[in-house]
Amino acid sequence: MQDIMQDKNEKTYCLINYGCQMNESDTEHYAGQLEELGYKPVSDYHGADVILVNTCCVRESAEKKIAGKIGELKAEKKRNPECVICVAGCMAQKDGDKLQKKHPQVDLLLGTAYVNDFKQLLLDYLADRKGIAYTDLTIHQSEFEGHRVRQSSFAAWIPIMYGCNNFCTYCIVPYVRGRERSRSMENIVEEIEAAVKEGYKEFTLLGQNVNSYGKEFGEKDAFANLLRRVNDIPGVERIHYMTSHPRDMSEEVIKAVAECEHVCENFHVPFQSGSSEILRRMNRGYTKEKYLDLIKLIRQYVPDAAITTDIIVGFPGETEEDFAETMDVVAKVGFTSAFTFIYSKRSGTPAAKMDNQVPLPVKKERLNRLMALQNENSLREHEKLIGKTVEVLAEGPSKQDDVWTGRSRTGVLVLWPVEGKEYAVGQKVNVVIDTAQTWLVKGKALD
Ligand code: SAH
Ligand code: SF4
Ligand code: F3S
């Protein structure tokens, strides 16, 4: 509709985003800068003046899908040679001008350190229309302080740190996001206060390893202090954060979650593998026992915590016994949900050169067993909510008629019938749960 009504002289942009929440956050900054230049958003890239694809390279499957999308844009460039095609993000960082050579329709290639410079680089490009790749990873200014156009009207991404120093042996992220650096607490608080004024209620603090927040300031317990500081901002209703590294998750952070009214009681703590030997070769810095101790500590402080995780199956050399340890952790912890991945070889990482790469059919079979077990757990965890009243922030109507959806404080998807009532996006609704499924729960709203 919006597209049809577009004024013919108006310049338009289309953003296509892939990857993690950090990418979604970066995309909001690209949108902000494009709008400062007078561009208006469209959801279909055909005919847009600027098309920006923000990319991810964490697994090969993601890369293939994105390469397909970039390939598609060749026809668009032919139809509309004046349009500017930008490829940004982690794949752009990893492959640099190789990617541009393979896809000559790409005009501007922006690595991950250039989010803030996008506006100027676009203007520079428009001045001489010479295709260029910016892939230096050195950060040359404080990041992401400009205007941004958020996708949600009540939930806001707040990056608190960038990059990663962990070098887990399977992972490409440290190579494409550079070294860890934290935003100052004042800068973070300012952004949150401004968002509260615009009506935002729910804040997700983002970083590859939020528990190392503030390490470079030399401040002890900087992340726990940040949680407490954000909790005190008037108008902030819910605080989430991701991702936590089990090695760096401190008792101080767990205590802060337990004590801060607005910090939600969900813990996303990826364990990746249950085998201590695999964990050692992943360079994760903890053992199965240490991880289970951490879960115990979380449950001790926050008995109702929803715990979620990420798991990789088929890391090089993973035996059936190693995999059994992973299944054991899943059986013992009772995760509310889990993101499960088949190990994907990323060239340039140490694991890519390891012997005994696990054959794909074995990886797939293990993934199926893992997912079946986790699905039972998700259902069981959701069943625990039956009869309870959960606080939901309304997100909008579902595909079904007369049913709204939203998320509980712990991130569970909740559906309830409208029954003639009016709801607004971002409204707090109390729902009594009566039905549990693997992926969601249903109930009735209280007045
Ligand atoms: N910084 C976060 C998340 C990074 S990427 C963390 O450390 O938890 C998100 C998830 O992708 C990881 O937790 C891991 O489970 C998965 N992942 C990363 N590299 C992968 C690879 N090469 N193959 C399969 N899964 C991978
Ligand atoms: Fe990758 Fe490990 Fe860093 Fe997470 S902590 S981004 S898995 S290297
Ligand atoms: Fe992907 Fe980059 Fe995020 S590789 S997962 S978009 S940090």
Side-chain angles (χ1 to χ4, degrees):
M1 209 40 197
Q2 192 187 5
D3 303 11
I4 296 165
M5 287 162 60
Q6 205 80 48
D7 174 347
K8 279 271 175 290
N9 298 319
E10 213 161 52
K11 294 182 293 179
T12 60
Y13 73 90
C14 178
L15 298 178
I16 305 169
N17 188 64
Y18 296 95
C20 62
Q21 291 87 352
M22 195 57 97
N23 259 24
E24 287 182 32
S25 171
D26 289 350
T27 291
E28 294 181 346
H29 281 280
Y30 293 127
Q33 294 175 63
L34 284 159
E35 299 208 1
E36 278 173 2
L37 293 175
Y39 289 84
K40 295 278 178 281
V42 288
S43 51
D44 178 357
Y45 69 71
H46 294 97
D49 297 289
V50 173
I51 305 170
L52 185 145
V53 188
N54 200 13
T55 61
C56 171
C57 59
V58 76
R59 281 170 290 276
E60 196 186 356
S61 51
E63 267 190 336
K64 278 197 173 142
K65 193 162 77 187
I66 299 166
K69 180 57 84 180
I70 297 171
E72 239 182 68
L73 296 176
K74 193 169 191 174
E76 179 60 12
K77 186 75 182 174
K78 220 171 176 180
R79 255 194 311 268
N80 178 13
E82 290 298 296
C83 82
V84 183
I85 296 181
C86 309
V87 172
C90 296
M91 222 167 127
Q93 184 65 50
K94 179 163 84 69
D95 296 338
D97 50 10
K98 262 197 314 206
L99 203 136
Q100 216 169 12
K101 284 196 184 107
K102 193 161 167 223
H103 299 280
Q105 68 275 24
V106 176
D107 301 304
L108 251 184
L109 194 101
L110 287 181
T112 57
Y114 288 89
V115 181
N116 252 1
D117 304 311
F118 173 58
K119 187 164 126 183
Q120 189 53 49
L121 298 180
L122 177 63
L123 290 174
D124 291 352
Y125 171 78
L126 288 170
D128 62 9
R129 292 219 165 237
K130 271 221 270 307
I132 188 158
Y134 296 93
T135 53
D136 184 359
L137 251 185
T138 323
I139 303 298
H140 36 93
Q141 62 178 78
S142 72
E143 291 168 284
F144 309 156
E145 291 174 356
H147 171 66
R148 64 153 105 203
V149 175
R150 298 187 193 275
Q151 295 305 295
S152 161
S153 59
F154 69 94
W157 304 123
I158 307 289
I160 61 167
M161 59 178 298
Y162 308 100
C164 180
N165 290 355
N166 285 316
F167 291 96
C168 301
T169 55
Y170 51 81
C171 186
I172 195 78
V173 172
Y175 304 89
V176 293
R177 287 277 175 177
R179 296 293 62 75
E180 275 176 14
R181 54 232 182 249
S182 301
R183 269 174 93 176
S184 71
M185 197 189 277
E186 301 81 71
N187 190 222
I188 294 167
V189 169
E190 253 170 48
E191 184 179 359
I192 296 177
E193 283 173 344
V196 167
K197 281 201 194 111
E198 292 170 25
Y200 287 86
K201 298 173 175 176
E202 185 164 28
F203 296 87
T204 304
L205 312 181
L206 295 178
Q208 296 302 340
N209 177 9
V210 289
N211 303 87
S212 357
Y213 171 75
K215 262 190 189 161
E216 68 264 49
F217 308 152
E219 186 187 328
K220 204 174 154 280
D221 300 319
F223 182 59
N225 297 342
L226 177 69
L227 283 177
R228 291 179 192 278
R229 176 70 186 87
V230 175
N231 187 62
D232 288 340
I233 299 175
V236 168
E237 287 187 18
R238 282 183 179 179
I239 303 160
H240 306 278
Y241 55 91
M242 64 192 323
T243 299
S244 296
H245 193 301
R247 185 198 56 214
D248 300 329
M249 182 83 170
S250 67
E251 191 165 354
E252 276 313 307
V253 169
I254 302 172
K255 251 196 224 163
V257 177
E259 289 167 11
C260 291
E261 181 191 350
H262 300 291
V263 180
C264 294
E265 36 293 315
N266 61 324
F267 290 81
H268 184 66
V269 257
F271 77 94
Q272 315 297 1
S273 169
S275 154
S276 296
E277 171 54 19
I278 296 285
L279 288 169
R280 190 186 62 75
R281 287 198 277 123
M282 285 179 162
N283 190 30
R284 290 288 289 178
Y286 54 90
T287 58
K288 178 186 180 188
E289 290 67 35
K290 280 241 172 79
Y291 183 79
L292 291 173
D293 286 347
L294 174 67
I295 300 299
K296 240 188 249 157
L297 195 65
I298 292 173
R299 296 241 192 258
Q300 185 188 318
Y301 280 101
V302 191
D304 286 336
I307 303 178
T308 57
T309 200
D310 294 353
I311 308 166
I312 297 176
V313 299
F315 183 81
E318 185 188 74
T319 62
E320 191 51 39
E321 288 72 37
D322 292 319
F323 178 64
E325 302 277 7
T326 297
M327 294 288 272
D328 186 48
V329 171
V330 173
K332 283 197 170 114
V333 177
F335 296 105
T336 305
S337 65
F339 295 101
T340 51
F341 305 107
I342 282 183
Y343 166 74
S344 170
K345 200 169 162 177
R346 305 285 67 206
S347 63
T349 63
K353 294 191 231 64
M354 288 180 188
D355 296 334
N356 301 323
Q357 297 283 331
V358 179
L360 187 61
V362 177
K363 293 197 259 195
K364 281 189 175 162
E365 191 273 333
R366 286 182 190 162
L367 182 74
N368 287 342
R369 272 191 280 157
L370 177 65
M371 281 165 57
L373 176 63
Q374 178 48 40
N375 288 350
E376 284 171 30
N377 284 339
S378 298
L379 181 60
R380 202 180 50 237
E381 291 305 308
H382 287 164
E383 278 168 352
K384 289 183 185 164
L385 295 173
I386 292 178
K388 290 195 176 149
T389 303
V390 299
E391 178 204 288
V392 175
L393 284 186
E395 282 177 18
S398 81
K399 283 185 199 124
Q400 268 168 284
D401 279 347
D402 301 334
V403 174
W404 265 59
T405 71
R407 297 236 169 221
S408 73
R409 278 175 64 100
T410 59
V412 177
L413 185 62
V414 182
L415 272 66
W416 69 96
V418 289
E419 295 174 319
K421 281 178 228 141
E422 296 256 328
Y423 293 101
V425 173
Q427 182 185 340
K428 214 186 257 179
V429 184
N430 287 315
V431 179
V432 191
I433 304 305
D434 55 31
T435 311
Q437 295 176 3
T438 309
W439 308 113
L440 53 89
V441 297
K442 295 177 179 172
K444 295 232 169 346
L446 293 177
D447 282 331

